Short mmCIF file of all heavy atoms in Angstrom, two decimals:
data_model
loop_
_atom_site.label_atom_id
_atom_site.label_comp_id
_atom_site.label_asym_id
_atom_site.label_seq_id
_atom_site.Cartn_x
_atom_site.Cartn_y
_atom_site.Cartn_z
N TYR A 156 12.44 -5.18 -15.71
CA TYR A 156 11.86 -5.90 -14.60
C TYR A 156 11.12 -7.12 -15.11
O TYR A 156 10.53 -7.10 -16.18
CB TYR A 156 10.93 -5.01 -13.81
CG TYR A 156 11.66 -3.87 -13.14
CD1 TYR A 156 11.68 -2.61 -13.69
CD2 TYR A 156 12.33 -4.09 -11.95
CE1 TYR A 156 12.34 -1.57 -13.08
CE2 TYR A 156 12.99 -3.06 -11.32
CZ TYR A 156 13.00 -1.80 -11.89
OH TYR A 156 13.66 -0.79 -11.27
N LYS A 157 11.09 -8.14 -14.29
CA LYS A 157 10.42 -9.38 -14.65
C LYS A 157 9.21 -9.58 -13.73
O LYS A 157 9.34 -9.47 -12.51
CB LYS A 157 11.40 -10.54 -14.48
CG LYS A 157 10.81 -11.87 -14.81
CD LYS A 157 11.85 -12.97 -14.60
CE LYS A 157 11.22 -14.32 -14.78
NZ LYS A 157 12.15 -15.38 -14.45
N LEU A 158 8.04 -9.86 -14.31
CA LEU A 158 6.84 -10.11 -13.54
C LEU A 158 7.01 -11.44 -12.81
O LEU A 158 7.29 -12.47 -13.42
CB LEU A 158 5.62 -10.17 -14.46
CG LEU A 158 4.29 -10.46 -13.79
CD1 LEU A 158 3.91 -9.32 -12.84
CD2 LEU A 158 3.20 -10.66 -14.84
N THR A 159 6.86 -11.39 -11.49
CA THR A 159 7.05 -12.60 -10.70
C THR A 159 5.77 -13.07 -10.04
O THR A 159 5.73 -14.15 -9.46
CB THR A 159 8.11 -12.39 -9.60
OG1 THR A 159 7.68 -11.32 -8.76
CG2 THR A 159 9.46 -12.07 -10.21
N GLY A 160 4.72 -12.28 -10.08
CA GLY A 160 3.46 -12.68 -9.47
C GLY A 160 2.41 -11.61 -9.62
O GLY A 160 2.70 -10.48 -10.04
N LYS A 161 1.19 -11.98 -9.26
CA LYS A 161 0.07 -11.04 -9.31
C LYS A 161 -0.67 -11.11 -7.98
O LYS A 161 -0.68 -12.15 -7.33
CB LYS A 161 -0.90 -11.40 -10.44
CG LYS A 161 -0.31 -11.23 -11.81
CD LYS A 161 -1.34 -11.57 -12.87
CE LYS A 161 -0.76 -11.41 -14.26
NZ LYS A 161 -1.75 -11.72 -15.29
N VAL A 162 -1.32 -10.00 -7.63
CA VAL A 162 -2.04 -9.91 -6.37
C VAL A 162 -3.41 -9.32 -6.64
O VAL A 162 -3.54 -8.34 -7.38
CB VAL A 162 -1.28 -8.99 -5.38
CG1 VAL A 162 -2.09 -8.78 -4.12
CG2 VAL A 162 0.08 -9.55 -5.06
N LEU A 163 -4.44 -9.90 -6.01
CA LEU A 163 -5.77 -9.30 -6.08
C LEU A 163 -5.81 -8.15 -5.08
O LEU A 163 -5.39 -8.29 -3.94
CB LEU A 163 -6.84 -10.32 -5.72
CG LEU A 163 -7.10 -11.40 -6.76
CD1 LEU A 163 -8.11 -12.40 -6.23
CD2 LEU A 163 -7.58 -10.80 -8.06
N THR A 164 -6.31 -7.02 -5.52
CA THR A 164 -6.38 -5.85 -4.66
C THR A 164 -7.78 -5.73 -4.06
O THR A 164 -8.65 -6.54 -4.35
CB THR A 164 -6.06 -4.57 -5.45
OG1 THR A 164 -7.02 -4.41 -6.49
CG2 THR A 164 -4.66 -4.63 -6.03
N VAL A 165 -7.96 -4.72 -3.24
CA VAL A 165 -9.27 -4.45 -2.66
C VAL A 165 -10.28 -4.30 -3.79
O VAL A 165 -9.99 -3.67 -4.80
CB VAL A 165 -9.20 -3.15 -1.82
CG1 VAL A 165 -10.55 -2.81 -1.25
CG2 VAL A 165 -8.15 -3.27 -0.74
N ALA A 166 -11.45 -4.89 -3.62
CA ALA A 166 -12.47 -4.88 -4.67
C ALA A 166 -12.73 -3.47 -5.18
O ALA A 166 -13.02 -2.57 -4.42
CB ALA A 166 -13.76 -5.49 -4.15
N GLY A 167 -12.59 -3.27 -6.47
CA GLY A 167 -12.89 -2.00 -7.09
C GLY A 167 -11.80 -0.95 -6.98
O GLY A 167 -11.94 0.15 -7.47
N ALA A 168 -10.71 -1.27 -6.32
CA ALA A 168 -9.64 -0.29 -6.11
C ALA A 168 -8.55 -0.46 -7.16
O ALA A 168 -8.15 -1.57 -7.49
CB ALA A 168 -9.05 -0.43 -4.72
N THR A 169 -8.07 0.65 -7.67
CA THR A 169 -7.00 0.66 -8.65
C THR A 169 -5.71 1.12 -7.97
O THR A 169 -5.67 2.23 -7.44
CB THR A 169 -7.33 1.62 -9.81
OG1 THR A 169 -8.56 1.22 -10.39
CG2 THR A 169 -6.23 1.61 -10.84
N PRO A 170 -4.67 0.29 -7.95
CA PRO A 170 -3.41 0.72 -7.35
C PRO A 170 -2.91 2.00 -8.01
O PRO A 170 -2.96 2.15 -9.23
CB PRO A 170 -2.46 -0.43 -7.62
CG PRO A 170 -3.35 -1.61 -7.82
CD PRO A 170 -4.58 -1.08 -8.47
N PHE A 171 -2.46 2.94 -7.19
CA PHE A 171 -2.00 4.22 -7.70
C PHE A 171 -0.51 4.42 -7.44
O PHE A 171 0.23 4.85 -8.31
CB PHE A 171 -2.80 5.36 -7.07
CG PHE A 171 -2.46 6.72 -7.59
CD1 PHE A 171 -2.95 7.13 -8.81
CD2 PHE A 171 -1.64 7.57 -6.88
CE1 PHE A 171 -2.64 8.38 -9.31
CE2 PHE A 171 -1.31 8.83 -7.37
CZ PHE A 171 -1.81 9.23 -8.59
N ARG A 172 -0.08 4.12 -6.22
CA ARG A 172 1.32 4.34 -5.86
C ARG A 172 1.77 3.28 -4.88
O ARG A 172 0.99 2.80 -4.08
CB ARG A 172 1.47 5.71 -5.21
CG ARG A 172 2.88 6.02 -4.87
CD ARG A 172 3.36 7.42 -5.15
NE ARG A 172 2.94 7.96 -6.42
CZ ARG A 172 2.69 9.25 -6.60
NH1 ARG A 172 2.79 10.10 -5.62
NH2 ARG A 172 2.34 9.70 -7.78
N ILE A 173 3.04 2.88 -4.98
CA ILE A 173 3.61 1.93 -4.02
C ILE A 173 4.79 2.58 -3.30
O ILE A 173 5.37 3.55 -3.78
CB ILE A 173 4.07 0.62 -4.69
CG1 ILE A 173 5.26 0.87 -5.61
CG2 ILE A 173 2.93 -0.05 -5.42
CD1 ILE A 173 5.99 -0.38 -6.01
N ALA A 174 5.10 2.04 -2.14
CA ALA A 174 6.27 2.47 -1.38
C ALA A 174 6.93 1.22 -0.82
O ALA A 174 6.28 0.40 -0.18
CB ALA A 174 5.87 3.41 -0.25
N ILE A 175 8.20 1.07 -1.08
CA ILE A 175 8.95 -0.09 -0.59
C ILE A 175 9.56 0.26 0.76
O ILE A 175 10.19 1.30 0.92
CB ILE A 175 10.03 -0.50 -1.61
CG1 ILE A 175 9.36 -0.86 -2.94
CG2 ILE A 175 10.88 -1.65 -1.08
CD1 ILE A 175 10.31 -1.09 -4.08
N HIS A 176 9.37 -0.63 1.72
CA HIS A 176 9.91 -0.43 3.07
C HIS A 176 11.43 -0.32 2.98
O HIS A 176 12.05 -0.96 2.13
CB HIS A 176 9.52 -1.63 3.95
CG HIS A 176 9.83 -1.44 5.39
ND1 HIS A 176 11.05 -1.77 5.92
CD2 HIS A 176 9.08 -0.95 6.40
CE1 HIS A 176 11.04 -1.50 7.21
NE2 HIS A 176 9.86 -1.00 7.54
N PRO A 177 12.06 0.50 3.83
CA PRO A 177 13.52 0.66 3.78
C PRO A 177 14.30 -0.65 3.85
O PRO A 177 15.38 -0.77 3.27
CB PRO A 177 13.83 1.54 4.99
CG PRO A 177 12.58 2.33 5.20
CD PRO A 177 11.47 1.40 4.82
N SER A 178 13.76 -1.67 4.50
CA SER A 178 14.44 -2.96 4.58
C SER A 178 14.23 -3.80 3.33
O SER A 178 14.90 -4.82 3.13
CB SER A 178 13.95 -3.75 5.80
OG SER A 178 12.60 -4.13 5.63
N GLY A 179 13.27 -3.39 2.49
CA GLY A 179 12.99 -4.10 1.24
C GLY A 179 12.08 -5.31 1.39
O GLY A 179 11.81 -6.00 0.42
N ASP A 180 11.57 -5.56 2.59
CA ASP A 180 10.77 -6.77 2.81
C ASP A 180 9.27 -6.56 2.71
O ASP A 180 8.51 -7.51 2.70
CB ASP A 180 11.11 -7.40 4.16
CG ASP A 180 10.73 -6.52 5.35
OD1 ASP A 180 10.47 -5.32 5.15
OD2 ASP A 180 10.72 -7.04 6.48
N ARG A 181 8.80 -5.30 2.62
CA ARG A 181 7.38 -5.01 2.53
C ARG A 181 7.11 -3.94 1.48
O ARG A 181 7.96 -3.08 1.24
CB ARG A 181 6.83 -4.53 3.88
CG ARG A 181 6.70 -5.65 4.89
CD ARG A 181 6.37 -5.12 6.24
NE ARG A 181 7.65 -4.74 6.87
CZ ARG A 181 7.75 -4.05 7.97
NH1 ARG A 181 6.67 -3.63 8.59
NH2 ARG A 181 8.93 -3.77 8.47
N VAL A 182 5.92 -4.01 0.90
CA VAL A 182 5.49 -3.03 -0.09
C VAL A 182 4.12 -2.51 0.32
O VAL A 182 3.20 -3.29 0.53
CB VAL A 182 5.40 -3.66 -1.50
CG1 VAL A 182 4.90 -2.65 -2.51
CG2 VAL A 182 6.74 -4.24 -1.92
N ALA A 183 4.00 -1.19 0.43
CA ALA A 183 2.71 -0.56 0.74
C ALA A 183 2.08 -0.11 -0.58
O ALA A 183 2.77 0.36 -1.48
CB ALA A 183 2.90 0.63 1.66
N VAL A 184 0.76 -0.27 -0.68
CA VAL A 184 0.04 0.11 -1.90
C VAL A 184 -1.08 1.07 -1.54
O VAL A 184 -1.92 0.77 -0.69
CB VAL A 184 -0.55 -1.13 -2.60
CG1 VAL A 184 -1.33 -0.72 -3.85
CG2 VAL A 184 0.53 -2.14 -2.95
N GLY A 185 -1.08 2.24 -2.19
CA GLY A 185 -2.17 3.20 -2.07
C GLY A 185 -3.03 3.12 -3.31
O GLY A 185 -2.54 2.86 -4.41
N TYR A 186 -4.33 3.35 -3.16
CA TYR A 186 -5.28 3.17 -4.26
C TYR A 186 -5.90 4.50 -4.67
O TYR A 186 -6.13 5.38 -3.84
CB TYR A 186 -6.37 2.20 -3.84
CG TYR A 186 -5.83 0.83 -3.49
CD1 TYR A 186 -5.57 0.49 -2.17
CD2 TYR A 186 -5.54 -0.09 -4.49
CE1 TYR A 186 -5.06 -0.76 -1.85
CE2 TYR A 186 -5.03 -1.33 -4.17
CZ TYR A 186 -4.79 -1.67 -2.85
OH TYR A 186 -4.28 -2.90 -2.54
N SER A 187 -6.21 4.62 -5.95
CA SER A 187 -6.81 5.86 -6.46
C SER A 187 -8.26 6.01 -6.04
O SER A 187 -8.78 7.11 -6.02
CB SER A 187 -6.69 5.93 -7.98
OG SER A 187 -7.37 4.85 -8.58
N ARG A 188 -8.91 4.94 -5.71
CA ARG A 188 -10.30 5.00 -5.20
C ARG A 188 -10.38 4.13 -3.96
O ARG A 188 -10.31 2.92 -4.03
CB ARG A 188 -11.28 4.47 -6.24
CG ARG A 188 -11.43 5.39 -7.41
CD ARG A 188 -12.51 4.87 -8.36
NE ARG A 188 -12.10 5.24 -9.69
CZ ARG A 188 -11.84 4.39 -10.66
NH1 ARG A 188 -11.94 3.11 -10.46
NH2 ARG A 188 -11.46 4.82 -11.83
N GLY A 189 -10.52 4.77 -2.83
CA GLY A 189 -10.65 4.02 -1.59
C GLY A 189 -9.70 4.52 -0.52
O GLY A 189 -8.61 5.00 -0.81
N SER A 190 -10.14 4.42 0.70
CA SER A 190 -9.36 4.93 1.82
C SER A 190 -8.59 3.81 2.52
O SER A 190 -8.40 3.84 3.73
CB SER A 190 -10.28 5.65 2.80
OG SER A 190 -11.30 4.76 3.24
N VAL A 191 -8.16 2.81 1.76
CA VAL A 191 -7.43 1.67 2.30
C VAL A 191 -6.00 1.67 1.78
O VAL A 191 -5.75 2.00 0.62
CB VAL A 191 -8.12 0.34 1.91
CG1 VAL A 191 -7.33 -0.86 2.36
CG2 VAL A 191 -9.53 0.28 2.46
N VAL A 192 -5.07 1.31 2.65
CA VAL A 192 -3.68 1.07 2.26
C VAL A 192 -3.38 -0.37 2.62
O VAL A 192 -3.65 -0.81 3.74
CB VAL A 192 -2.71 2.02 3.00
CG1 VAL A 192 -1.27 1.64 2.72
CG2 VAL A 192 -2.97 3.46 2.60
N ASP A 193 -2.85 -1.12 1.68
CA ASP A 193 -2.45 -2.51 1.92
C ASP A 193 -0.94 -2.61 2.02
O ASP A 193 -0.22 -1.88 1.33
CB ASP A 193 -2.91 -3.43 0.78
CG ASP A 193 -4.40 -3.69 0.79
OD1 ASP A 193 -4.97 -3.79 1.89
OD2 ASP A 193 -4.98 -3.83 -0.29
N VAL A 194 -0.48 -3.52 2.86
CA VAL A 194 0.94 -3.82 2.96
C VAL A 194 1.12 -5.29 2.61
O VAL A 194 0.44 -6.16 3.16
CB VAL A 194 1.48 -3.53 4.38
CG1 VAL A 194 2.95 -3.90 4.46
CG2 VAL A 194 1.28 -2.07 4.74
N PHE A 195 2.01 -5.54 1.64
CA PHE A 195 2.28 -6.89 1.17
C PHE A 195 3.71 -7.30 1.49
O PHE A 195 4.61 -6.44 1.53
CB PHE A 195 2.08 -6.97 -0.36
CG PHE A 195 0.68 -6.73 -0.80
CD1 PHE A 195 0.27 -5.46 -1.19
CD2 PHE A 195 -0.24 -7.76 -0.85
CE1 PHE A 195 -1.03 -5.21 -1.61
CE2 PHE A 195 -1.55 -7.53 -1.27
CZ PHE A 195 -1.94 -6.26 -1.65
N ASP A 196 3.90 -8.59 1.69
CA ASP A 196 5.25 -9.14 1.81
C ASP A 196 5.90 -9.02 0.43
O ASP A 196 5.33 -9.46 -0.57
CB ASP A 196 5.16 -10.61 2.24
CG ASP A 196 6.51 -11.24 2.39
OD1 ASP A 196 7.12 -11.60 1.35
OD2 ASP A 196 6.97 -11.41 3.53
N ALA A 197 7.06 -8.43 0.34
CA ALA A 197 7.70 -8.18 -0.95
C ALA A 197 8.12 -9.46 -1.66
O ALA A 197 8.19 -9.49 -2.88
CB ALA A 197 8.91 -7.27 -0.76
N ARG A 198 8.37 -10.48 -0.93
CA ARG A 198 8.83 -11.74 -1.53
C ARG A 198 7.68 -12.63 -2.01
O ARG A 198 7.70 -13.14 -3.11
CB ARG A 198 9.68 -12.48 -0.52
CG ARG A 198 10.29 -13.74 -1.04
CD ARG A 198 11.39 -14.10 -0.14
NE ARG A 198 12.57 -13.89 -0.96
CZ ARG A 198 13.73 -14.40 -0.71
NH1 ARG A 198 13.91 -15.08 0.36
NH2 ARG A 198 14.71 -14.21 -1.54
N THR A 199 6.65 -12.78 -1.16
CA THR A 199 5.56 -13.71 -1.49
C THR A 199 4.33 -13.00 -2.05
O THR A 199 3.43 -13.66 -2.56
CB THR A 199 5.13 -14.48 -0.24
OG1 THR A 199 4.57 -13.56 0.71
CG2 THR A 199 6.30 -15.23 0.38
N LEU A 200 4.25 -11.67 -1.88
CA LEU A 200 3.09 -10.85 -2.25
C LEU A 200 1.85 -11.19 -1.44
O LEU A 200 0.74 -10.84 -1.83
CB LEU A 200 2.80 -10.95 -3.75
CG LEU A 200 3.91 -10.46 -4.67
CD1 LEU A 200 3.49 -10.61 -6.13
CD2 LEU A 200 4.27 -9.01 -4.36
N ALA A 201 2.03 -11.83 -0.29
CA ALA A 201 0.91 -12.09 0.62
C ALA A 201 0.59 -10.81 1.37
O ALA A 201 1.49 -10.07 1.76
CB ALA A 201 1.27 -13.19 1.60
N ARG A 202 -0.70 -10.54 1.55
CA ARG A 202 -1.10 -9.34 2.30
C ARG A 202 -0.72 -9.52 3.76
O ARG A 202 -1.08 -10.49 4.39
CB ARG A 202 -2.59 -9.09 2.16
CG ARG A 202 -3.04 -7.79 2.84
CD ARG A 202 -4.51 -7.46 2.64
NE ARG A 202 -4.76 -7.09 1.25
CZ ARG A 202 -5.56 -7.77 0.44
NH1 ARG A 202 -6.18 -8.85 0.86
NH2 ARG A 202 -5.74 -7.38 -0.80
N VAL A 203 0.02 -8.55 4.30
CA VAL A 203 0.45 -8.58 5.69
C VAL A 203 -0.56 -7.87 6.58
O VAL A 203 -0.93 -8.37 7.64
CB VAL A 203 1.84 -7.92 5.85
CG1 VAL A 203 2.25 -7.83 7.30
CG2 VAL A 203 2.89 -8.65 5.03
N THR A 204 -1.02 -6.72 6.13
CA THR A 204 -1.99 -5.95 6.90
C THR A 204 -2.65 -4.92 5.98
O THR A 204 -2.18 -4.67 4.87
CB THR A 204 -1.32 -5.24 8.10
OG1 THR A 204 -2.33 -4.70 8.95
CG2 THR A 204 -0.36 -4.16 7.66
N SER A 205 -3.73 -4.36 6.46
CA SER A 205 -4.43 -3.28 5.77
C SER A 205 -4.80 -2.22 6.80
O SER A 205 -5.01 -2.53 7.96
CB SER A 205 -5.71 -3.78 5.10
OG SER A 205 -5.42 -4.68 4.07
N ALA A 206 -4.88 -0.99 6.34
CA ALA A 206 -5.30 0.11 7.21
C ALA A 206 -6.33 0.93 6.45
O ALA A 206 -6.18 1.16 5.25
CB ALA A 206 -4.11 0.97 7.59
N GLN A 207 -7.37 1.35 7.15
CA GLN A 207 -8.40 2.17 6.53
C GLN A 207 -8.57 3.45 7.34
O GLN A 207 -8.60 3.41 8.57
CB GLN A 207 -9.73 1.43 6.47
CG GLN A 207 -10.80 2.24 5.79
CD GLN A 207 -12.07 1.44 5.59
OE1 GLN A 207 -12.07 0.24 5.69
NE2 GLN A 207 -13.15 2.13 5.30
N ALA A 208 -8.67 4.55 6.64
CA ALA A 208 -8.87 5.85 7.29
C ALA A 208 -10.30 6.30 7.09
O ALA A 208 -10.73 6.49 5.96
CB ALA A 208 -7.91 6.88 6.72
N GLY A 209 -11.04 6.45 8.16
CA GLY A 209 -12.40 6.95 8.07
C GLY A 209 -13.31 6.02 7.29
O GLY A 209 -13.09 4.83 7.19
N SER A 210 -14.34 6.59 6.69
CA SER A 210 -15.29 5.80 5.91
C SER A 210 -14.75 5.58 4.49
O SER A 210 -13.88 6.31 4.02
CB SER A 210 -16.64 6.49 5.84
OG SER A 210 -16.57 7.63 5.01
N ARG A 211 -15.29 4.62 3.82
CA ARG A 211 -14.86 4.33 2.45
C ARG A 211 -15.21 5.46 1.49
O ARG A 211 -14.64 5.58 0.42
CB ARG A 211 -15.49 3.03 1.95
CG ARG A 211 -14.94 1.83 2.69
CD ARG A 211 -15.39 0.56 2.01
NE ARG A 211 -14.95 -0.59 2.77
CZ ARG A 211 -13.81 -1.22 2.57
NH1 ARG A 211 -12.99 -0.81 1.64
NH2 ARG A 211 -13.48 -2.27 3.30
N ASP A 212 -16.17 6.32 1.87
CA ASP A 212 -16.59 7.43 1.01
C ASP A 212 -15.86 8.72 1.33
O ASP A 212 -16.22 9.77 0.82
CB ASP A 212 -18.10 7.66 1.16
CG ASP A 212 -18.89 6.44 0.72
OD1 ASP A 212 -18.41 5.70 -0.16
OD2 ASP A 212 -19.98 6.23 1.28
N ALA A 213 -14.83 8.67 2.17
CA ALA A 213 -14.16 9.88 2.63
C ALA A 213 -13.05 10.34 1.70
O ALA A 213 -12.32 11.25 2.02
CB ALA A 213 -13.59 9.66 4.03
N GLY A 214 -12.89 9.73 0.56
CA GLY A 214 -11.83 10.11 -0.36
C GLY A 214 -10.90 8.93 -0.61
O GLY A 214 -11.34 7.80 -0.60
N ASP A 215 -9.62 9.23 -0.82
CA ASP A 215 -8.69 8.14 -1.08
C ASP A 215 -7.37 8.36 -0.35
O ASP A 215 -7.07 9.44 0.13
CB ASP A 215 -8.43 7.97 -2.58
CG ASP A 215 -7.69 9.15 -3.20
OD1 ASP A 215 -6.55 9.44 -2.76
OD2 ASP A 215 -8.22 9.77 -4.11
N LEU A 216 -6.61 7.29 -0.23
CA LEU A 216 -5.24 7.32 0.28
C LEU A 216 -4.33 6.84 -0.85
O LEU A 216 -3.75 5.77 -0.78
CB LEU A 216 -5.10 6.44 1.52
CG LEU A 216 -5.77 6.95 2.77
CD1 LEU A 216 -5.69 5.90 3.88
CD2 LEU A 216 -5.13 8.24 3.22
N SER A 217 -4.25 7.62 -1.90
CA SER A 217 -3.55 7.18 -3.11
C SER A 217 -2.04 7.28 -3.00
O SER A 217 -1.32 6.58 -3.71
CB SER A 217 -4.02 8.01 -4.31
OG SER A 217 -3.83 9.39 -4.05
N THR A 218 -1.52 8.11 -2.10
CA THR A 218 -0.09 8.28 -1.99
C THR A 218 0.38 7.72 -0.65
O THR A 218 -0.19 8.02 0.39
CB THR A 218 0.28 9.77 -2.08
OG1 THR A 218 -0.20 10.27 -3.33
CG2 THR A 218 1.77 9.98 -2.01
N VAL A 219 1.40 6.87 -0.70
CA VAL A 219 1.92 6.22 0.50
C VAL A 219 3.43 6.42 0.58
O VAL A 219 4.10 6.63 -0.43
CB VAL A 219 1.59 4.72 0.52
CG1 VAL A 219 0.10 4.49 0.67
CG2 VAL A 219 2.09 4.01 -0.73
N GLY A 220 3.95 6.35 1.79
CA GLY A 220 5.39 6.45 1.99
C GLY A 220 5.78 6.00 3.38
O GLY A 220 5.02 6.15 4.32
N TRP A 221 6.94 5.39 3.49
CA TRP A 221 7.48 4.94 4.78
C TRP A 221 8.38 6.02 5.36
O TRP A 221 9.03 6.76 4.63
CB TRP A 221 8.33 3.68 4.59
CG TRP A 221 7.56 2.48 4.14
CD1 TRP A 221 7.43 2.03 2.86
CD2 TRP A 221 6.82 1.57 4.96
NE1 TRP A 221 6.65 0.90 2.83
CE2 TRP A 221 6.27 0.59 4.12
CE3 TRP A 221 6.58 1.49 6.32
CZ2 TRP A 221 5.50 -0.46 4.59
CZ3 TRP A 221 5.81 0.44 6.80
CH2 TRP A 221 5.26 -0.51 5.93
N SER A 222 8.45 6.08 6.68
CA SER A 222 9.42 6.96 7.33
C SER A 222 10.81 6.39 7.05
O SER A 222 10.96 5.21 6.69
CB SER A 222 9.17 7.03 8.83
OG SER A 222 9.29 5.76 9.44
N ILE A 223 11.83 7.19 7.21
CA ILE A 223 13.20 6.76 6.90
C ILE A 223 13.60 5.53 7.71
O ILE A 223 14.25 4.62 7.19
CB ILE A 223 14.20 7.91 7.14
CG1 ILE A 223 13.97 8.99 6.08
CG2 ILE A 223 15.64 7.43 7.10
CD1 ILE A 223 14.77 10.25 6.29
N ASP A 224 13.17 5.47 8.98
CA ASP A 224 13.53 4.32 9.82
C ASP A 224 12.57 3.14 9.63
O ASP A 224 12.76 2.08 10.20
CB ASP A 224 13.61 4.71 11.29
CG ASP A 224 12.27 5.19 11.86
OD1 ASP A 224 11.24 5.13 11.15
OD2 ASP A 224 12.28 5.65 13.01
N GLY A 225 11.50 3.32 8.83
CA GLY A 225 10.57 2.24 8.54
C GLY A 225 9.57 1.94 9.64
O GLY A 225 8.81 0.98 9.55
N ARG A 226 9.53 2.76 10.67
CA ARG A 226 8.63 2.50 11.79
C ARG A 226 7.22 3.01 11.54
O ARG A 226 6.28 2.59 12.20
CB ARG A 226 9.19 3.11 13.06
CG ARG A 226 10.48 2.42 13.50
CD ARG A 226 11.09 3.05 14.71
NE ARG A 226 10.19 2.91 15.83
CZ ARG A 226 10.38 3.49 16.99
NH1 ARG A 226 11.42 4.27 17.18
NH2 ARG A 226 9.52 3.32 17.99
N ARG A 227 7.05 3.91 10.58
CA ARG A 227 5.74 4.49 10.29
C ARG A 227 5.44 4.44 8.81
O ARG A 227 6.32 4.59 7.97
CB ARG A 227 5.69 5.94 10.76
CG ARG A 227 5.68 6.07 12.25
CD ARG A 227 5.53 7.51 12.66
NE ARG A 227 5.29 7.66 14.07
CZ ARG A 227 6.22 7.56 15.01
NH1 ARG A 227 7.46 7.28 14.68
NH2 ARG A 227 5.91 7.73 16.28
N LEU A 228 4.18 4.24 8.52
CA LEU A 228 3.69 4.28 7.14
C LEU A 228 2.73 5.46 7.04
O LEU A 228 1.81 5.61 7.84
CB LEU A 228 2.95 2.99 6.79
CG LEU A 228 2.27 2.93 5.43
CD1 LEU A 228 3.28 3.08 4.30
CD2 LEU A 228 1.49 1.63 5.29
N TYR A 229 2.94 6.31 6.06
CA TYR A 229 2.11 7.48 5.86
C TYR A 229 1.23 7.31 4.62
O TYR A 229 1.68 6.71 3.63
CB TYR A 229 2.97 8.74 5.69
CG TYR A 229 3.83 9.03 6.89
CD1 TYR A 229 5.16 8.65 6.92
CD2 TYR A 229 3.29 9.67 8.00
CE1 TYR A 229 5.95 8.91 8.04
CE2 TYR A 229 4.08 9.94 9.11
CZ TYR A 229 5.40 9.55 9.12
OH TYR A 229 6.17 9.81 10.22
N GLY A 230 0.03 7.85 4.68
CA GLY A 230 -0.87 7.84 3.54
C GLY A 230 -1.51 9.20 3.38
O GLY A 230 -1.84 9.87 4.36
N ALA A 231 -1.67 9.64 2.14
CA ALA A 231 -2.29 10.93 1.86
C ALA A 231 -3.09 10.82 0.58
O ALA A 231 -2.87 9.92 -0.22
CB ALA A 231 -1.21 12.02 1.72
N GLY A 232 -4.01 11.73 0.40
CA GLY A 232 -4.81 11.71 -0.81
C GLY A 232 -5.80 12.83 -0.83
O GLY A 232 -5.46 13.97 -0.53
N THR A 233 -7.05 12.51 -1.12
CA THR A 233 -8.10 13.51 -1.22
C THR A 233 -9.18 13.24 -0.19
O THR A 233 -9.32 12.13 0.31
CB THR A 233 -8.74 13.51 -2.61
OG1 THR A 233 -9.36 12.24 -2.82
CG2 THR A 233 -7.73 13.77 -3.68
N TYR A 234 -9.96 14.24 0.09
CA TYR A 234 -11.10 14.07 1.00
C TYR A 234 -12.34 14.57 0.30
O TYR A 234 -12.34 15.61 -0.28
CB TYR A 234 -10.89 14.84 2.30
CG TYR A 234 -12.06 14.69 3.24
CD1 TYR A 234 -12.23 13.50 3.93
CD2 TYR A 234 -12.98 15.70 3.40
CE1 TYR A 234 -13.31 13.34 4.80
CE2 TYR A 234 -14.07 15.55 4.27
CZ TYR A 234 -14.22 14.36 4.96
OH TYR A 234 -15.27 14.19 5.79
#
């Protein structure tokens, strides 16, 4: 693989797992510390949206995955 760009993540968060949208146009990132999931444009690496579950101290959403049809994004982790 060839590095094509870099992205600043949520302050203090370490990326843990990514999930590529079935269409290949978006990438979801789950973090090992923090209850935020970011979605980036796969081509430009621009942040498209972010989702946060509960308070920032409620654990993490380190594991992410798209539904087969790409209509839903799932996040799981610790509490």
Side-chain angles (χ1 to χ4, degrees):
Y156 295 98
K157 180 180 173 186
L158 179 65
T159 59
K161 293 181 181 181
V162 174
L163 288 176
T164 61
V165 178
T169 303
F171 184 78
R172 182 138 317 147
I173 68 165
I175 300 171
H176 189 273
S178 68
D180 65 345
R181 286 171 276 169
V182 178
V184 179
Y186 300 97
S187 61
R188 289 185 213 118
S190 57
V191 175
V192 173
D193 286 325
V194 178
F195 295 94
D196 180 282
R198 184 162 249 199
T199 65
L200 298 180
R202 184 176 290 117
V203 175
T204 190
S205 294
Q207 182 174 345
S210 72
R211 292 190 184 268
D212 298 330
D215 67 60
L216 289 173
S217 56
T218 302
V219 292
W221 295 96
S222 61
I223 291 173
D224 63 6
R226 293 177 63 188
R227 289 184 170 77
L228 174 61
Y229 299 99
T233 63
Y234 179 75

